[in-house]
Amino acid sequence: MSKYTLEFEESLREIEEKIETVKSTGIKTGVDVTSTVQQLERKLEDKRKSIYKNLSRWDRVQLARHPRRPHSLDYIEMMCDEWMELHGDRYFGDDKAIVSGLAVIAGKSIMIIGQQKGRGTKDNMLRNFGMPRPEGYRKALRLMKLAEKFNIPIVTLIDTPGAYPGLGAEERGQAEAIAKNLKEMAIIGVPIINIVIGEGASGGALGIGVGDRLLCMENTWYSVISPEGCASILFRDATRAKDAADAMKVTSIDLLEMGIADRIIPEPEGSAHMHPKKASEMLKDVILEELAQLVTLNTDDLIENRISKFEKMGKWEEI
Amino acid sequence: MAEWFRRSADKIKTLDKRDTAEGLWIKCPRCAQVVYKRELEKNYHVCISCSHHFRINSSAYLKLLIDNDEYHGIAENVRSVDPLSFKGEKKYSDQLKAAQTKTGLNEAVRVVVGKINGQDTVVAIMDFSYIGGSMGSVVGEKISRAIDHARKRKLPLIIITSSGGARMQEGAYSLMQMAKTSAKLAQYSKDNGLYITILTDPTTGGTSASFAMLGDIILAEPNALIGFAGARVIKQTIGEDLPEGFQRAEFLVEKGFVDNIVHRRDLKRTITQIFNFFGIEKFQNSKVTEIE
């Protein structure tokens, strides 16, 4: 598979193919192609820079969904000194679309809860494409309560195309499970950092997304509905997702401007999937930095600040 | 001569075509029975033959629940803006204006303080006719103020929901209203406030996945559609037809997510019964005044 799969990466793919052709010609003919290759590689980097400087909203949506983009467990593996996954909601089952467990990062205990997408068909079936069911939200809450009991901070990694719209999920109270998390997370007495690492669609994302800080990795989106969903309802045409992404202003940058995200975590040149290790280091540094600030607050202040943060959200006028 | 063709038996009613044309008669969408509009109104907009609960607006609920229809509005001057300058098929600002003209309301929820069988209560009622009862910043803010008012005055809180979910035209701002209202409810609950939700047709999406499902007591009207995901989306996802009665109020009682189904006729009495059980009269009752 080519490194470049997205439409806007087409010109990068072309240059890279050319480099390969020149290289193999060099090997075949014995002609020195070093300078040509260097020239092309410089061109590739320049092109990449110019593309990534001018990404459209839709480009970012696609990057957020890139099949090679690191998922929760990838970051966990790269960031943590220790990791022990804990399973199950103790009522119904274990939702594989949400992973959770005891993490140690730079010597600090942190409860991590993340939505987990799969890679490839089989893995995606197992992970239900990162779409949690009620038991996933209940597992998350169980472990957040456990963290609270021992004064352990919580980090949630948001990456979901939405809560699963299935028969069983409805029967087992998808709405109740999400609602309960929203209410409980508002008053959990330990720091909670929510980080959008890929996609953040709707209540399914928010179900693990209430906390003291909302951080968005650079190439991510987070909104009330997916661009496709919005397009099919409001434009009556799902193919107009690009327009819907613009209309709803869904990217990390938009959310920062709207005052919903607190901070954007930059990604390495060419997005997180090109340099996962680098991306995870940048993520880790920000987590540690934000936690260091939050742990200085006493519990009452922490909760009061959290509630007043959400209190201010929204735009209206008083006549 | 024409009189000979009139039925004399009471059981079978002859309908007057002229009246139908003038909208005095309404056909029940469920049992197809045609009922006289005034009869329907007298019966709380519930079909006389099959008990189908017609959708009613916030004014009708106020009349139904609040003593003498006397109440004070809260947060009446909060109005929607178009924070994203949303460009859809229609302009959001035009949609807002159209909804206001059509419904005579200024948003999809009304918040009041009034007496229910003598008990001061904060009541928020959603209107489905206003952009599908969708929750944007203003709905979130008004519900939040309703909760705050109930908390400060130590009053019970009732929210009557009818909503398709969050309002897409306000993007992530709408989504955050779910967190905002739920956070407020967490505070209210911590202070031992009593919160009753009454779910009416329909209550779905972001509304169901936030304050609708957070009642201490959750009541629902018969046959109301209640769920998170829309039926069409679920059908597409699982690729099969949905079972009979799926996502209806009775289904939710069966699955354990609604306490009880209440006929509209019994709603006020049921609320009072709950209030009395929990001893709401012991709440510090203050005179109803408007805080804005």
Side-chain angles (χ1 to χ4, degrees), chain A residues 231 233-236 240, chain B residues 86-92 95:
Chain A
I233 298 169
L234 286 187
F235 299 89
R236 292 168 213 281
R240 288 185 62 193
Chain B
F86 191 90
K87 290 180 198 76
E89 287 278 271
K90 296 174 208 148
K91 268 171 71 183
Y92 178 42
Q95 263 181 298

Side-chain angles (χ1 to χ4, degrees), chain A residues 3 8 31 39 81 96 136 183 195 200 211 225 235 252 277 314:
Chain A
K3 271 206 285 191
F8 66 88
V31 178
Q39 220 178 346
D81 315 330
K96 305 264 186 307
K183 182 181 168 191
I195 308 169
I225 188 170
F235 299 89
S252 57
K277 186 69 198 157

Side-chain angles (χ1 to χ4, degrees), chain A residues 135-171:
Chain A
E135 40 282 9
Y137 295 106
R138 292 181 184 131
K139 169 170 72 174
L141 185 60
R142 172 173 81 88
L143 294 173
M144 287 190 274
K145 291 273 198 187
L146 180 63
E148 181 184 37
K149 193 168 154 188
F150 294 95
N151 201 24
I152 305 285
I154 298 162
V155 169
T156 74
L157 304 175
I158 296 169
D159 190 11
T160 182
Y164 186 57
L167 213 64
E170 291 290 321
E171 284 178 349

